Amino acid sequence: MKVSVLRIFVIFFLPFVPALVSAQGDGFVSGEIVSAENNGAIPYATVFLKETRYGASTDTSGLYGFKAPAGDYSLVVSAIGYERIEKPVRLTPGSRTKISLALTPKTTEMEEVVVLGSGVGRVNKSSFNAVAIGTQELQNSTKNLSEALAGAPGLKLRESGGVGSDMQLLMDGFSGKHIKIFIDGIPQEGVGNSFGLNNIPVNFAERIEVYKGVVPVGFGSDALGGAINIVTNKHRRGWFLDASYSYGSFNTHKSQINFGQTSRRGVMFEINAFQNYSDNCYYVDTPVEHFLEDGSTSLDASLVERVRRFNDTYHNEAVIAKAGLVDRKWADRLVLSFTYSHMYKEIQNGVIQKVVFGKKHREGNSLMPSLEFGKRNFLTRGLDVTFTVNYNDNSARNVDTSAYRYNWLGQRKYQDGRLGEQSYQDTRSHNSNWNATFTLRYRIGRWHTVMLNHVFSAFRRENTSTPGSSGNSSGADAIAKQTRKNITGLSWQMMPSKRWNLSLFGKYYNQFNAGPVSASDSGTDNYVRTHGSVSAVGYGAAGTCFLLRGIQVKLSYERAFRLPTNEELFGDEDLELGKIGLKPEKSDNLNLNISFDRQSGMHGIYAEAGLIYRHTTDYIQRRIGNYSGNKTYASYENHGRVKTKGYSLSARYTYSGWLSVGGSLTRMDVRDNVKTVAGGTSQESLTYGGRIPNQPYLFANSDLTLHWQNPLGSRSRLSLTYDNFYMHSFPLYSEKLGSASSKERVPTQFAHNLSLTYSIFQGKYNFSLECRNLTDEKLYDNFSLQKAGRAFYGKIRIRLGENGPRNHAGHRRHRK
């Protein structure tokens, strides 16, 4: 059935595409783009009609030409190292309009981000292995930021359930805490679960930058796997409004509104608010424990029943308010912002699906004021200064006080006076986080740039518990949990020409940890405060070279360190157990990437291949096991040495304004590299050479998008997108232990999605329909934790005022 649906689509639909997209009464615009400095041709300049998808790039002689429907437009021209220019143009049916323009060179040339239409592009001049994901084509969908990332090469989103479920990103064999998250360069560690990638709508970002492996000094990061930087729209705009509402399966509601204004004098304000709600009442297939009339229970593990989730409601709300000044003599940007968020989540099951809860839940809220200051040419020409500071005050409450035990049918059984389905608790955690980032960038002449970056972060958690719960105010809860981190980075970049550049850098890491540790043999009482500190020095180099037209090679190496996170050190006060004695991870990271990017008339081609190598010691691994009686928890431990080798491939083709097709494939081999059971012995470890368990190692995705301009009237647009995701089966436990028949595995899966969007009045009003998991596959990202089946969603979006130009057929270029 799955094959026949796709075959019908291809056979009966695609042959009509050329006829549907052909526009009557087209005009043709052409010309030459040159430099105003020396009248020389500018190759690879981007030329497009503003607020349309019609455009092209100049060839090596600076010539361009493309066809578009007749009408009045603004012709936009941009190129690396030149000022952007706009010029009115009128296209008449069947005629050729010639416009040649001269661009003024910029005094300085900044790193450029190139985003391919409907896909992934390259952080072009950077010597680091990085890609950029434009969100313009996704903003009419119901996706959040984490789902938008799933299309990037080497990236895999792992969720434990539906809306608001626990989420991890897998990047080139590393996941979760190995990958650091930033918003406009500000670290998001410790902000709490109420404001995360899996509940922030994709409309929040203008683009998403993905740094794979080696991370630039400017982020001040201790990441091993890479970094995600969410870039919001900071362009100076007049009055604007962007609002949307969506509704879908499992009683899911999502809404978002973003409005603001920047006056002619540079006074700005902006409000961004959003909410998510879902019952998450989808069906799962699982063995069910039955409560019998005589008080006993019955469970047949071989009998799988289809049941509906009943304790999985989730909702969150967030408001971000900004006010400040831009484009002043003494500050390019001085902005004060406040972020408030709240979250409520019912807990349906534990870390494995057979553990089911009926009343367990958690909630939290966060308040975060922040200040941002930036100035180019500060005090002297060539010196740029950026300073940000934020304080995050968040609290979380974990509640597990029920006197009943539940099964998957929603039936309950009295527990003979015992309270708590997992472990009786009504615990409140209060977390305080300080983050400050200071960056100096100094350009020495035309070739050299020096950057100094320092990031300071401080975390403190205090718990209070209801008497009799699993917390103990006279024990562990009476001792605060603290961390302080300082990361300093210094880099030097040499860029003697547009064809190649080189960066050398060093990083200093320091972390102080303090918290409760049990001094008793039982490990559950007599808590005392313990503390310690660690420090390390890392270093690396990155370079890039443009070999031939459109071909770029990037090579980078880093001796990197990752400091344990708050969750790994102290747990989440519920299902995750911390370990304060964790050591930092150390890793030698090597990345090689080759990319090809070419625009020829109406045709655009982008392709890349990446190779990665990681040799990691003191690898921090998340394990699932029974630690308190029969209760199942997740914990963390240092696991000796791990070796990672792998590759990722991706490609995309675009044609004019109506077709975009592409995909990616990733294969990562993450192996246990610990030869002996313990240091000083010769006994070989049984898991030596085996894959690290519970890690996907082969996955792929692809997508096809078709656009029709003015299908039902002028200034309208219709878009149809099909995308899919494939993941190969992987083992839950080590493949070296036990027989193949007894191994528990996450199954192979192949999911399909469809979406249809209709926009009118040049994108001011947008209507979307989505079908996710079209073939109703059983989907799992983690063992036995089943995700939702087939689901339908609809969305309405309104954009008014100066929201900026939409993406065009070729590339959209952003200045960083």
Side-chain angles (χ1 to χ4, degrees), residues 316-479:
N316 83 295
E317 302 81 31
V319 178
I320 305 100
K322 298 180 180 181
L325 302 171
V326 298
D327 299 332
R328 293 297 181 96
K329 290 183 179 181
W330 47 271
D332 295 331
R333 188 172 176 88
L334 178 64
V335 176
L336 178 65
S337 64
F338 291 88
T339 300
Y340 173 78
S341 58
H342 174 263
M343 175 272 294
Y344 171 85
K345 177 175 174 53
E346 296 174 346
I347 310 300
Q348 180 67 87
N349 48 260
V351 292
I352 56 177
Q353 192 162 284
K354 70 179 182 180
V355 179
V356 59
F357 305 126
K359 290 295 183 181
K360 185 176 173 65
H361 64 275
R362 65 174 63 123
E363 59 184 318
N365 56 70
S366 170
L367 178 64
M368 182 172 66
S370 63
L371 178 67
E372 173 190 358
F373 170 82
K375 181 70 177 76
R376 290 172 55 85
N377 299 317
F378 181 74
L379 298 181
T380 184
R381 186 175 179 83
L383 179 63
D384 301 340
V385 175
T386 304
F387 174 72
T388 62
V389 60
N390 66 70
Y391 171 72
N392 181 267
D393 185 278
N394 69 75
S395 61
R397 182 187 180 195
N398 290 295
V399 180
D400 184 7
T401 58
S402 176
Y404 294 89
R405 174 182 170 188
Y406 289 79
N407 66 7
W408 269 112
L409 300 177
Q411 300 169 340
R412 64 182 190 177
K413 177 185 177 184
Y414 187 63
Q415 299 190 102
D416 298 325
R418 188 175 72 86
L419 298 177
E421 300 175 76
Q422 168 93 2
S423 179
Y424 175 61
Q425 65 173 315
D426 186 351
T427 305
R428 291 171 173 82
S429 301
H430 180 255
N431 302 318
S432 301
N433 299 270
W434 280 99
N435 279 290
T437 302
F438 179 70
T439 303
L440 285 176
R441 175 174 172 154
Y442 185 51
R443 297 179 296 280
I444 306 173
R446 298 184 62 183
W447 287 17
H448 305 280
T449 302
V450 177
M451 178 182 291
L452 175 67
N453 175 272
H454 182 79
V455 175
F456 167 77
S457 60
F459 168 85
R460 181 182 178 90
R461 176 185 295 169
E462 297 178 337
N463 294 338
T464 57
S465 305
T466 300
S469 73
S470 59
N472 187 347
S473 60
S474 63
D477 288 351
I479 301 173

Side-chain angles (χ1 to χ4, degrees), residues 240-299:
F240 66 92
L241 169 69
D242 189 338
S244 63
Y245 169 77
S246 69
Y247 173 76
S249 300
F250 322 121
N251 196 28
T252 300
H253 304 258
K254 297 182 178 182
S255 59
Q256 179 258 349
I257 185 169
N258 178 211
F259 64 92
Q261 185 176 17
T262 302
S263 71
R264 293 181 179 179
R265 300 183 62 184
V267 179
M268 63 84 64
F269 80 94
E270 181 178 349
I271 303 292
N272 199 329
F274 59 88
Q275 63 83 218
N276 302 276
Y277 176 92
S278 181
D279 289 338
N280 287 317
C281 52
Y282 58 90
Y283 285 92
V284 296
D285 300 280
T286 181
V288 176
E289 181 182 34
H290 291 267
F291 298 154
L292 306 180
E293 293 184 359
D294 61 2
S296 62
T297 62
S298 172
L299 174 63

Side-chain angles (χ1 to χ4, degrees), residues 445-649:
R446 298 184 62 183
W447 287 17
H448 305 280
T449 302
V450 177
M451 178 182 291
L452 175 67
N453 175 272
H454 182 79
V455 175
F456 167 77
S457 60
F459 168 85
R460 181 182 178 90
R461 176 185 295 169
E462 297 178 337
N463 294 338
T464 57
S465 305
T466 300
S469 73
S470 59
N472 187 347
S473 60
S474 63
D477 288 351
I479 301 173
K481 301 169 183 180
Q482 297 173 272
T483 65
R484 288 194 300 271
K485 286 200 300 187
N486 286 277
I487 302 175
T488 304
L490 179 65
S491 72
W492 164 72
Q493 183 186 48
M494 180 177 66
M495 186 182 292
S497 76
K498 296 180 181 180
R499 295 184 60 86
W500 69 276
N501 65 76
L502 174 69
S503 296
L504 302 176
F505 60 89
K507 297 179 182 180
Y508 172 74
Y509 310 84
N510 179 268
Q511 183 178 34
F512 169 83
N513 305 316
V517 171
S518 175
S520 67
D521 293 336
S522 67
T524 58
D525 55 14
N526 190 23
Y527 287 94
V528 297
R529 185 180 187 271
T530 186
H531 63 86
S533 62
V534 294
S535 60
V537 175
Y539 49 86
T544 184
C545 179
F546 291 87
L547 298 179
L548 300 172
R549 181 183 175 188
I551 298 179
Q552 184 180 13
V553 178
K554 296 190 177 191
L555 179 65
S556 57
Y557 164 79
E558 182 179 14
R559 174 64 166 171
F561 292 81
R562 186 181 75 85
L563 306 172
T565 65
N566 304 325
E567 289 77 11
E568 291 168 332
L569 292 167
F570 308 126
D572 67 350
E573 314 298 337
D574 189 11
L575 300 175
E576 304 274 334
L577 302 178
K579 187 175 183 179
I580 196 172
L582 288 174
K583 295 181 288 185
E585 295 178 322
K586 302 180 286 291
S587 183
D588 292 290
N589 299 341
L590 185 65
N591 299 270
L592 173 64
N593 185 277
I594 302 176
S595 63
F596 175 76
D597 188 1
R598 182 79 171 270
Q599 185 77 22
S600 178
M602 298 291 189
H603 304 274
I605 299 176
Y606 169 77
E608 74 166 60
L611 297 175
I612 71 108
Y613 173 84
R614 311 271 189 274
H615 184 264
T616 309
T617 57
D618 293 323
Y619 179 82
I620 299 176
Q621 186 174 5
R622 182 178 183 267
R623 292 187 177 275
I624 297 173
N626 297 328
Y627 298 93
S628 177
N630 242 350
K631 305 302 181 184
T632 304
Y633 295 88
S635 66
Y636 299 89
E637 67 176 20
N638 289 110
H639 181 73
R641 294 180 294 276
V642 172
K643 186 179 292 184
T644 303
K645 295 182 291 184
Y647 61 86
S648 63
L649 306 171

